[in-house]
Amino acid sequence: MKALKLIVASALLVSLSGVALAVPAVNKPAPDFTAIDSNGKTVNLKDFAGKKVILEWTNADCPFVKKHYNSDNMQGLQTKYTEDDVVWLSVISSAKGKQGYVDGKGANKLSKDRGAAPSHVLLDPEGTIGKAYGAKTTPHMYIVDEKGTLKYMGAIDSIRSADAADIPKATNYVNKAMMELAEGKSVSEPVTQAYGCSVKYK
Amino acid sequence: MRKLILTFSAGLAAMFSYGAIAAATAWQQADHIQVRLLSNVDTLSPDSTIFLGLELKPDEHWHVYWKNPGDSGMPIKFSLSDTPALQKEKLLWPIPEKIPFGDLTNFGYEGQLILPMQVKVSKVDDTTVIKSDASWLVCKESCIPGKASFEMQLPKGQSLKAAAEEPEIRRFAAEEARELPLMQGQMHDEGDHLSIELFARKPVFKDDSVIEFFPVNESLFSASAKAEMKWKNNFLKLKQKKSDSFFSVPELISGLLVIDGQAWEFSFKPSSN
């Protein structure tokens, strides 16, 4: 009986810590989600099993996002990887009425205006996906491999600034991780501190 | 008439030179913040040490960031540019505040701030042009990055002459952390938490001390978590939740302990055990 109690207690502890730790861990399964994209289509992470998935948290009015879009840096990455059969998901977790919030139509117009080339733009005004991934900033980048394992989370690059002139001098962590994965290596810097504007959750 | 013109132009010249040669530049207005460059001296002499200061005045309730900004944000950058006669030695960071924002906590400053820079002066011309660049992120609910460039001209003097700005720069420079000499420092990975044990060379931890901890390393501790601390004489143990972006223990651990208002900075290399 005593042993049983112990087991129950430890099971409870595990589930409690599961709730408290909203932050995913690298080399563990990436949090699954179901989302509506900007065209009203339902998108599930599991739909992309067998492909690499890159998630990008974005907010078009954030100066750090502008740094990477006005310089064509983000669009360049989107084009490069989607042409290579990688799924690119841009996620907008800004709540209604907050900076960066758009509806589906607005998101499509935005993609057209800034020449963005993601596979899908996911609308997350409730912040459900953002909080499951522990997304803190825009941009905040994640890489999920073919088996659904989280391989990278953090900053887009190594120079924390809002100045586009720093992009060529910086190490792009997404490129670095993708290259290491392509070579069958483990990601050498799998977690970095993301920089940017805070995600405008509700 | 001619005499009048002469007098007038002499007055103008005096005004211009007064404007150009001064230990404070004009304020520059950026979004939600004003900035200017200060010097603690009115004149420069060779082989001396001076203090420049970046003065920032964010709007009310807006803030800028310490060298470790905490859970988000970006540190202030302040450097010399294209001024070969002067070498930046270090920035003297005043004691930061903990600024909560939603679930996150940042380390930074609200209100007026002067960030002093210790500068070595090697050689000087009759007039030295000091050029400096600064950038920052100023935040309330949203954040706005900004940058500014400054130019200040200082004449050569027989010796350093203290400027009117000297006491203000000193007041902020006085908050710079003193080095806390250690006999030993250890870090332990305790799953969700990390703990640090310090054995200082001096008994700086008094029983009734008020101690506050700021990690200097980024991606180490969660800035919004509270440090559990115990101390006695020269021993202190602290335990705090890991940062969400923690991945591995860095080669050098540094932290700031504010003990009864005095800042001490410690550094150690964690052993491999």
Side-chain angles (χ1 to χ4, degrees):
Chain A
M1 186 60 197
K2 204 168 186 182
L4 185 68
K5 255 190 196 161
L6 260 174
I7 292 168
V8 171
S10 63
L12 218 127
L13 255 173
V14 168
S15 65
L16 274 180
S17 63
V19 173
L21 288 180
V23 177
V26 286
N27 300 320
K28 295 275 164 62
D32 196 13
F33 57 81
T34 303
I36 304 293
D37 79 0
S38 58
N39 296 313
K41 195 174 166 245
T42 302
V43 172
N44 196 305
L45 180 65
K46 290 200 177 95
D47 300 343
F48 309 119
K51 291 184 181 185
K52 286 196 184 75
V53 178
I54 297 175
L55 293 112
E56 168 217 354
W57 260 261
T58 190
N59 163 358
D61 296 319
C62 159
F64 295 90
V65 170
K66 286 183 185 167
K67 168 189 177 185
H68 293 284
Y69 274 95
N70 293 349
S71 58
D72 279 333
N73 185 41
M74 196 65 85
Q75 299 92 320
L77 294 170
Q78 290 164 348
T79 307
K80 173 177 162 183
Y81 289 114
T82 51
E83 281 177 358
D84 199 25
D85 209 26
V86 171
V87 177
W88 187 292
L89 304 176
S90 299
V91 189
I92 302 175
S93 297
S94 296
K96 201 167 182 176
K98 298 225 173 155
Q99 189 197 53
Y101 171 81
V102 280
D103 59 10
K105 225 173 163 180
N108 287 340
K109 183 177 184 304
L110 194 61
S111 291
K112 197 170 167 237
D113 290 350
R114 59 182 183 178
S119 313
H120 300 271
V121 179
L122 305 185
L123 307 177
D124 183 38
E126 297 295 316
T128 320
I129 311 172
K131 287 183 178 169
Y133 276 80
K136 283 204 173 104
T137 62
T138 52
H140 200 153
M141 310 298 297
Y142 297 79
I143 300 174
V144 180
D145 75 1
E146 292 84 345
K147 291 178 187 151
T149 305
L150 186 65
K151 288 292 177 184
Y152 174 76
M153 58 175 178
I156 178 163
D157 65 23
S158 61
I159 302 184
R160 185 168 45 184
S161 81
D163 192 347
D166 290 328
I167 294 173
K169 293 180 257 172
T171 301
N172 186 296
Y173 290 133
V174 174
N175 277 337
K176 192 176 155 197
M178 288 297 280
M179 202 178 290
E180 287 167 341
L181 289 173
E183 289 167 359
K185 293 179 189 161
S186 56
V187 178
S188 53
E189 286 181 274
V191 185
T192 63
Q193 183 146 347
Y195 71 86
C197 306
S198 56
V199 176
K200 306 299 183 252
Y201 289 119
K202 118 174 164 167
Chain B
M1 184 61 196
R2 195 169 193 177
K3 201 178 170 191
L4 186 66
I5 290 173
L6 261 175
T7 315
F8 185 54
S9 61
L12 254 181
M15 258 172 66
F16 276 123
S17 61
Y18 177 74
I21 298 182
T25 65
W27 285 104
Q28 294 186 30
Q29 179 71 52
D31 283 340
H32 295 289
I33 196 165
Q34 286 185 302
V35 292
R36 63 175 180 167
L37 179 69
L38 308 176
S39 158
N40 77 322
V41 289
D42 280 332
T43 56
L44 289 180
S45 62
D47 302 318
S48 57
T49 298
I50 64 161
F51 293 90
L52 297 176
L54 173 67
E55 185 169 10
L56 305 105
K57 273 191 193 163
D59 287 355
E60 205 179 340
H61 304 306
W62 287 70
H63 61 266
V64 290
Y65 295 93
W66 187 52
K67 59 184 174 180
N68 172 9
D71 290 330
S72 65
M74 220 168 68
I76 300 164
K77 287 183 191 159
F78 177 30
S79 60
L80 293 170
S81 64
D82 194 23
T83 308
L86 272 58
Q87 287 85 41
K88 170 178 167 179
E89 291 191 320
K90 59 175 178 174
L91 296 178
L92 288 70
W93 292 90
I95 299 172
E97 303 166 48
K98 290 183 179 162
I99 304 169
F101 167 66
D103 294 342
L104 308 179
T105 295
N106 291 119
F107 304 142
Y109 310 92
E110 285 186 349
Q112 181 218 15
L113 169 73
I114 294 174
L115 177 57
M117 180 200 290
Q118 183 177 314
V119 174
K120 176 97 184 94
V121 181
S122 46
K123 64 179 187 63
V124 286
D125 297 325
D126 287 344
T127 303
T128 301
V129 181
I130 299 172
K131 291 183 188 174
S132 164
D133 293 326
S135 64
W136 60 85
L137 187 67
V138 61
C139 301
K140 192 180 156 195
E141 276 160 19
S142 57
C143 295
I144 301 170
K147 59 180 175 180
S149 294
F150 307 97
E151 261 192 51
M152 178 187 281
Q153 293 186 27
L154 291 178
K156 186 176 180 173
Q158 291 291 349
S159 58
L160 296 175
K161 185 168 153 270
E165 289 73 12
E166 150 101 347
E168 274 291 272
I169 297 177
R170 288 261 174 230
R171 183 162 72 87
F172 283 91
E175 292 189 25
E176 198 214 4
R178 287 159 69 179
E179 188 197 332
L180 180 64
L182 296 181
M183 288 189 283
Q184 203 188 4
Q186 285 181 344
M187 170 162 271
H188 301 284
D189 191 330
E190 301 184 6
D192 293 348
H193 290 71
L194 292 167
S195 68
I196 287 178
E197 287 181 338
L198 300 176
F199 295 88
R201 288 193 182 278
K202 288 184 255 179
V204 287
F205 312 116
K206 311 263 184 309
D207 285 352
D208 59 350
S209 285
V210 176
I211 304 182
E212 207 175 359
F213 170 61
F214 295 88
V216 171
N217 300 80
E218 294 181 33
S219 303
L220 197 59
F221 291 105
S222 158
S224 43
K226 212 171 140 44
E228 292 169 41
M229 281 190 275
K230 282 188 289 192
W231 61 83
K232 192 151 190 76
N233 300 324
N234 69 331
F235 173 76
L236 177 136
K237 180 173 181 178
L238 71 86
K239 185 175 159 185
Q240 190 166 330
K241 196 169 169 279
K242 281 178 182 170
S243 159
D244 289 346
S245 50
F246 173 85
F247 183 67
S248 59
V249 174
E251 283 171 28
L252 188 72
I253 310 281
S254 300
L256 189 77
L257 290 168
V258 182
I259 308 171
D260 302 323
Q262 168 66 53
W264 296 85
E265 189 165 320
F266 65 83
S267 284
F268 65 89
K269 288 182 178 165
S271 55
S272 52
N273 61 5

